[in-house]
Amino acid sequence: METYADLIECEDVLLFANAAITSTGQREFHSAAGEQRLSLAFLHSYIHGNYPDLYAATLALDINDHNAALIIANLLRRKGGHQGDARLIARRLSRMSPPRVYRLFKELRSAGVNNRRTRALIRDWLAARPDLAFDAVKYRTAVKSAVRHAHLRPEGELGAFLFAPFSRARYDTPVLEAWRRAHYDKNALYDLPYTVAEGFAARHGISRAVFLERVAPRLTRLERLRLSESAGRDGVRTEADLAAMPLVRLASYVLSLGADARARRRDELVGALRASAARAAGARAGTWGLVTAVLDDSFSAFGSPAKRHRPLAVALACHYLLEALAGGYRALWLSGRSDPLQARPTGPTPLGRRILDGLEGRPDLLVIVSDGWDNAPPGLAGEVLRVWRRKLDPAGEVGIVHLNPVYDAGQFEVRRLSRVVPTAGIRDAEDLPALVELARFAEGRTGLAELRAYLEDRAALLDRAALEDRAAALRDRVVRS
């Protein structure tokens, strides 16, 4: 039987999970970066101090890398620790981008965190890298710092490259030799990672067009997407595979294009968004019954200069994913726009009216994707949801979930529309099915025991995800070679 303390603990952990999913400590539309960082730091301290085991367990959720790094650093600072913490940390690090992990190692070194667990963690992570020589070239300073902090002695040529790179007349490792030769041979730089090769190209005075033409075949998927527009201006096609991109990243790319470009490339962009959504939906495609989505494209969906169009990109990505998941689907944008490809942040936030429209026909599921700042008129959305749940649908035949991509620093949580409807933070559209599942904990229908079991199941899934990420990294290496 759940006690009052258990319910409080469950609510606290869910509050923290929502913050860790959405906030990156950067400026948002309604709060400055300093407010975000201060609010987030308090939550980390509160949960870590009161629920240390569940604090570590949140690494199994789809929290963002910024908060995962904060959790790992706090766990490593703590004396002792549970045996399961090391496994959770290792699994999470395997899913994080290499630059983020190297930044974490640098922060640990600056903070003087150098216990045995930390050194072992750095050692094992470096040993598991698919191509550490490639890392040594691309992130040389960071790798050298991590090696020093963990008191490691790299074998073979790697140690010489890190600490005395010009001490050898030749390297047997191809990428190390390419770096050495690139100092005087223009052709050698094209065998290096793009970011390193770019610096050598500037040093040798190679024109941008010539450089991009030759380096294009060796770009990674994300580099192709990032450079597609700038390279196009130089007459170079990067052949970016848009359909292979994660949904929110692809939606952000679409929103970065002008209205004319979106119209001109409509078939390509819509096809890519639907293909990415179908991949994310997987076997669940078409199984969700009748779904209605209320999608926020009001002015606050602009986000901030640090996170430009991020809330709108999440809404656009969710639109295409819900379209793939639903058996029947209806999208209601706050602006009344009928063409999602031309979405742009504009106007007030009349959530209440659109929720009323969405509840017509009694869908199986109503999904609201919004930052929760209901202002036209203020509070109408909450009143609509209260009356609907208490008076018109007390049995909950229509499932209602609010997904919020923005952390409210002043309230220490993602902003809610109503206490009678669950709200979950969202960052990546691919997490939407799991978040709809997680939202049931916020409704009070399940308690702490079920939440703990859910976190354990999520931790088990990380093993498979780590293997898949490692395979993807190896494929990228093959492409470059």
Side-chain angles (χ1 to χ4, degrees):
M1 179 177 179
E2 296 289 336
T3 66
Y4 181 72
D6 289 337
L7 295 177
I8 293 295
E9 182 173 348
C10 186
E11 184 174 321
D12 283 348
V13 172
L14 288 173
L15 181 146
F16 175 70
N18 283 332
I21 287 169
T22 55
S23 180
T24 55
Q26 296 171 298
R27 178 182 170 186
E28 297 284 5
F29 188 87
H30 291 284
S31 59
E35 295 175 277
Q36 288 277 320
R37 288 193 296 268
L38 184 62
S39 178
L40 203 55
F42 169 79
L43 276 181
H44 276 269
S45 178
Y46 174 74
I47 301 297
H48 188 203
N50 289 281
Y51 317 113
D53 57 333
L54 288 176
Y55 181 70
T58 55
L59 287 173
L61 297 176
D62 295 306
I63 62 176
N64 61 53
D65 285 353
H66 176 77
N67 285 287
L70 289 175
I71 292 172
I72 292 170
N74 288 333
L75 292 175
L76 292 174
R77 287 189 183 99
R78 185 178 66 188
K79 293 183 179 179
H82 297 86
Q83 184 177 2
D85 291 357
R87 292 195 299 272
L88 277 170
I89 291 172
R91 290 168 185 160
R92 182 62 208 217
L93 286 180
S94 69
R95 299 173 60 200
M96 291 168 64
S97 66
R100 176 66 261 187
V101 177
Y102 283 122
R103 199 179 314 140
L104 169 62
F105 292 163
K106 181 181 178 181
E107 291 165 0
L108 291 171
R109 185 182 183 190
S110 298
V113 181
N114 194 26
N115 49 49
R116 184 172 62 181
R117 287 190 303 150
T118 301
R119 294 195 300 271
L121 180 74
I122 296 174
R123 179 199 65 211
D124 294 344
W125 188 84
L126 291 175
R129 292 296 295 153
D131 189 349
L132 191 55
F134 180 90
D135 280 14
V137 170
K138 189 171 184 177
Y139 316 108
R140 181 168 171 266
T141 302
V143 174
K144 183 163 64 173
S145 174
V147 165
R148 279 178 169 162
H149 191 53
H151 303 168
L152 302 178
R153 292 179 178 271
E155 297 180 356
E157 298 178 328
L158 194 58
F161 176 79
L162 289 174
F163 299 104
F166 297 106
S167 63
R168 295 199 174 202
R170 178 178 176 80
Y171 288 100
D172 294 329
T173 306
V175 70
L176 303 184
E177 176 63 11
W179 181 88
R180 186 192 66 81
R181 290 177 50 232
H183 286 79
Y184 59 85
D185 183 356
K186 294 181 180 180
N187 293 319
L189 67 88
Y190 297 106
D191 294 325
L192 296 172
Y194 166 75
T195 52
V196 179
E198 191 176 33
F200 278 111
R203 179 184 299 184
H204 288 299
I206 300 173
S207 72
R208 184 71 175 170
V210 171
F211 170 68
L212 289 174
E213 183 71 37
R214 292 197 58 181
V215 82
R218 301 178 63 84
L219 295 173
T220 65
R221 290 183 305 169
L222 294 181
E223 287 168 348
R224 290 175 189 276
L225 180 64
R226 194 180 304 122
L227 291 170
S228 59
E229 287 299 302
S230 61
R233 289 193 291 270
D234 290 312
V236 179
R237 289 184 59 85
T238 62
E239 304 298 337
D241 185 2
L242 299 182
M245 295 294 116
L247 258 175
V248 174
R249 190 180 296 272
L250 178 55
S252 295
Y253 170 72
V254 170
L255 294 174
S256 72
L257 304 174
D260 291 343
R262 295 187 220 178
R264 186 175 64 254
R265 300 172 58 185
R266 169 175 294 280
D267 292 344
E268 174 195 4
L269 297 176
V270 171
L273 285 162
R274 285 182 172 155
S276 182
R279 186 178 66 253
R284 291 168 296 206
T287 64
W288 277 25
L290 181 60
V291 177
T292 297
V294 172
L295 304 163
D296 189 345
D297 58 348
S298 64
F299 185 63
S300 62
F302 169 81
S304 70
K307 302 172 75 172
R308 187 180 178 87
H309 289 157
R310 180 77 191 192
L312 184 58
V314 172
L316 182 62
C318 287
H319 162 75
Y320 283 98
L321 181 54
L322 288 169
E323 181 186 60
L325 290 167
Y329 177 67
R330 183 166 64 129
L332 299 172
W333 293 87
L334 297 190
S335 64
R337 184 176 287 108
S338 59
D339 182 4
L341 198 67
Q342 293 295 339
R344 60 188 180 89
T346 182
T349 313
L351 276 171
R353 294 192 180 96
R354 293 310 254 169
I355 291 172
L356 275 173
D357 295 338
L359 290 170
E360 288 183 4
R362 301 179 72 93
D364 297 311
L365 177 66
L366 174 67
V367 179
I368 305 164
V369 184
S370 170
D371 62 9
W373 287 85
D374 177 35
N375 59 22
L380 178 60
E383 188 62 13
V384 167
L385 292 171
R386 184 189 67 81
V387 172
W388 175 266
R389 187 57 83 218
R390 295 276 170 82
K391 303 293 184 180
L392 303 178
D393 186 24
E397 293 178 0
V398 176
I400 305 176
V401 178
H402 173 210
L403 301 178
N404 193 329
V406 180
Y407 175 65
D408 188 337
Q411 294 189 6
F412 296 98
E413 62 177 342
V414 291
R415 194 176 186 87
R416 296 171 180 260
L417 290 174
S418 171
R419 289 290 172 181
V420 300
V421 169
T423 297
I426 184 170
R427 179 170 175 80
D428 295 314
E430 288 82 357
D431 300 335
L432 186 150
L435 291 172
V436 170
E437 180 183 3
L438 185 63
R440 75 182 192 273
F441 295 106
E443 287 186 285
R445 298 180 183 177
T446 50
L448 184 60
E450 290 83 357
L451 177 58
R452 287 181 180 274
Y454 178 80
L455 291 174
E456 290 174 1
D457 290 341
R458 293 288 300 172
L461 289 175
L462 287 182
D463 286 329
R464 186 173 64 185
L467 291 174
E468 292 174 353
D469 289 348
R470 191 172 301 173
L474 287 172
R475 286 196 296 271
D476 279 345
R477 298 277 119 58
V478 170
V479 169
R480 278 190 289 268
S481 61

